[in-house]
Amino acid sequence: KQEVTQIPAALSVPEGENLVLNCSFTDSAIYNLQWFRQDPGKGLTSLLLIQSSQREQTSGRLNASLDKSSGRSTLYIAASQPGDSATYLCAVWRAGGTSYGKLTFGQGTILTVHP
Amino acid sequence: KAGVTQTPRYLIKTRGQQVTLSCSPISGHRSVSWYQQTPGQGLQFLFEYFSETQRNKGNFPGRFSGRQFSNSRSEMNVSTLELGDSALYLCASSLSGSSYNEQFFGPGTRLTVL
């Protein structure tokens, strides 16, 4: 059974810091990994999608890496801003079997960036 | 391009009632997945529909059901509501539901069961 763990559970940083969020998964047989952002009471916004054949993806100040062999992904946020405050979720799409449409999520990292 | 829409955004029901939630996917997307989000369990997969067929199902009781229409819009139904069904229900759409697709989520429906 795929399990996804995110560390830390919460993070509070001053504006301008570079930070790293971690995601680990137990089953390396994944097709892709997706990072999301969720604002309080809202839906999920897709940030980055990394296919299993890729090692990293970049979008603006965000960079996500994927190491299938070690079962880890990191989301790097450069020059953090108060507007980055949200819950960040990683999710994996497992390979094989009846995997249609099913993402397995971590519990998320609550990020607070204070001015 | 319009995103995933969900209606209604908020619902308050009492135990024993039933509820129907609706999801309209991004135009051109044929796969719709449903998730339940609670503070204790996080995000859990309910089921996925593609071309009006349920292809995948999570570990939820039979009180949770769904369907998809020919225009890819999907509905989720919960019968005999329990207090523990209070949650944010999210739907996501993707092109085909295969594992190479990116999933896009709607704003969710907040269900409160009293």
Side-chain angles (χ1 to χ4, degrees), chain A residues 100-115:
Chain A
Y100 292 118
K102 180 181 179 180
L103 288 171
T104 301
F105 284 85
Q107 291 293 327
T109 293
I110 302 171
L111 173 65
T112 303
V113 181
H114 47 89

Side-chain angles (χ1 to χ4, degrees), chain A residues 2 6 10 13-15 18 22 24 37 46 48 55 58 61 67-68 70-71 77-78 80 83 91 98 103-105 108:
Chain A
Q2 179 73 271
Q6 291 188 244
V13 299
E15 181 177 6
N18 302 324
N22 296 292
S24 62
R37 166 191 173 134
S46 179
L48 291 164
R55 291 194 64 85
T58 298
R61 295 182 294 108
D67 184 343
K68 281 182 57 178
S70 66
I77 303 177
S80 58
T98 54
L103 288 171
T104 301
F105 284 85

Side-chain angles (χ1 to χ4, degrees), chain B residues 28-113:
Chain B
H29 285 192
R30 297 173 63 192
S31 168
V32 174
S33 296
W34 288 89
Y35 294 83
Q36 180 195 65
Q37 185 177 31
T38 59
Q41 298 297 318
L43 274 151
Q44 294 185 289
F45 172 79
L46 282 156
F47 31 64
E48 186 261 3
Y49 285 87
F50 178 83
S51 290
E52 303 177 65
T53 300
Q54 186 185 88
R55 296 191 301 184
N56 201 3
K57 189 177 187 303
N59 189 26
F60 279 81
R63 300 185 297 107
F64 292 82
S65 63
R67 59 177 176 169
Q68 187 180 37
F69 302 94
S70 58
N71 61 358
S72 295
R73 188 177 70 87
S74 177
E75 288 183 347
M76 189 191 92
N77 184 274
V78 188
S79 62
T80 318
L81 284 166
E82 301 176 359
L83 294 178
D85 296 334
S86 294
L88 181 66
Y89 290 88
L90 294 161
C91 80
S93 77
S94 65
L95 282 169
S96 69
S98 76
S99 45
Y100 291 96
N101 292 166
E102 187 171 2
Q103 286 202 16
F104 297 90
F105 282 75
T109 295
R110 172 74 64 185
L111 172 64
T112 302
V113 182

Side-chain angles (χ1 to χ4, degrees), chain A residues 8-57:
Chain A
L11 184 63
S12 180
V13 299
E15 181 177 6
E17 274 205 6
N18 302 324
L19 54 98
V20 174
L21 307 181
N22 296 292
C23 172
S24 62
F25 44 94
T26 54
D27 185 349
S28 62
I30 65 168
Y31 277 135
N32 67 42
L33 185 145
Q34 203 167 345
W35 281 94
F36 295 90
R37 166 191 173 134
Q38 186 175 32
D39 293 291
K42 302 292 178 67
L44 276 62
T45 300
S46 179
L47 297 173
L48 291 164
L49 169 71
I50 312 176
Q51 303 285 3
S52 61
S53 58
Q54 300 172 321
R55 291 194 64 85
E56 67 178 291
Q57 282 286 344

